[in-house]
C-alpha cells in the first residue's frame, strides 16, 4: 500500500501560481500512475490531471490545459502539480492518488487505490 502526503497548497491571488507536491512511501512508486483530483465545497471530486508511471504520457481536464503541468520524479518518490494563472474557480481541496494501472491514462476516481489527505488551494479574485 502506497501512502501519499500532499503539500504546497495555500492562498494565492488570481493569476498567481502554486506547485503542489505529493510525497509517496514505498519502493514501488515508479510502477503506479499518478493522478490529481480536486473537490470544491458542495461539489463532487473532479479529475484534474494524470500521468503514467513513466511520466511520459499525461492528460488534463479541459479547464487545466495550458495552465497546469503534472510531473513526477520517481527517484524522489514525488509527484508535482504546477498550477499557473490560477483562477477563483480553481479553489478546492486537491488530492493526489495512485493507480496500479501504471501504463494507462486513468481519469476516474475508481481507478485509483490510494489517496492523500488533501491540501487546500484558495484563489482570491
Amino acid at each position: 500500500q502506497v501512502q501519499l502526503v500532499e503539500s504546497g497548497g495555500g492562498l494565492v491571488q488570481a493569476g498567481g501560481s502554486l506547485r503542489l507536491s505529493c510525497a509517496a512511501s514505498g519502493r514501488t512508486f515508479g510502477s503506479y500512475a499518478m493522478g490529481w483530483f480536486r473537490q470544491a465545497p458542495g461539489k463532487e471530486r473532479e479529475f484534474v490531471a494524470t500521468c503514467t508511471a513513466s511520466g511520459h504520457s499525461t492528460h488534463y481536464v479541459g479547464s487545466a490545459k495550458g495552465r497546469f503541468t503534472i510531473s513526477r520524479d520517481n527517484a524522489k518518490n514525488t509527484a508535482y502539480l504546477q498550477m499557473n494563472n490560477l483562477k477563483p474557480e480553481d479553489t478546492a481541496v486537491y488530492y493526489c492518488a495512485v493507480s496500479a494501472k501504471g501504463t494507462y491514462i486513468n481519469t476516474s476516481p475508481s481507478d485509483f487505490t490510494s489517496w492523500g489527505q488533501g491540501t487546500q488551494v484558495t484563489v482570491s479574485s
Side-chain angles (χ1 to χ4, degrees), residues 25-38:
S25 65
R27 289 175 288 181
T28 59
F29 172 75
S31 66
Y32 288 91
M34 289 295 305
W36 285 95
F37 292 77
R38 64 188 179 189

Side-chain angles (χ1 to χ4, degrees), residues 4-5 14-15 22 25 31 55-56 70 80-82 85 88 115 122:
L4 306 171
V5 178
C22 175
S25 65
S31 66
H56 292 158
I70 187 172
Y80 306 95
L81 185 67
Q82 177 67 43
N85 190 22
W115 295 78
T122 303

Side-chain angles (χ1 to χ4, degrees), residues 63-113:
S63 60
K65 288 180 181 177
R67 299 189 300 127
F68 293 7
T69 302
I70 187 172
S71 63
R72 65 191 296 162
D73 185 339
N74 287 340
K76 295 183 178 180
N77 276 14
T78 304
Y80 306 95
L81 185 67
Q82 177 67 43
M83 305 187 294
N84 298 328
N85 190 22
L86 282 161
K87 304 176 181 180
E89 51 264 42
D90 294 318
T91 296
V93 177
Y94 283 69
Y95 300 89
C96 65
V98 294
S99 169
K101 302 176 183 179
T103 59
Y104 289 83
I105 291 295
N106 308 289
T107 62
S108 170
S110 62
D111 290 327
F112 294 83
T113 54

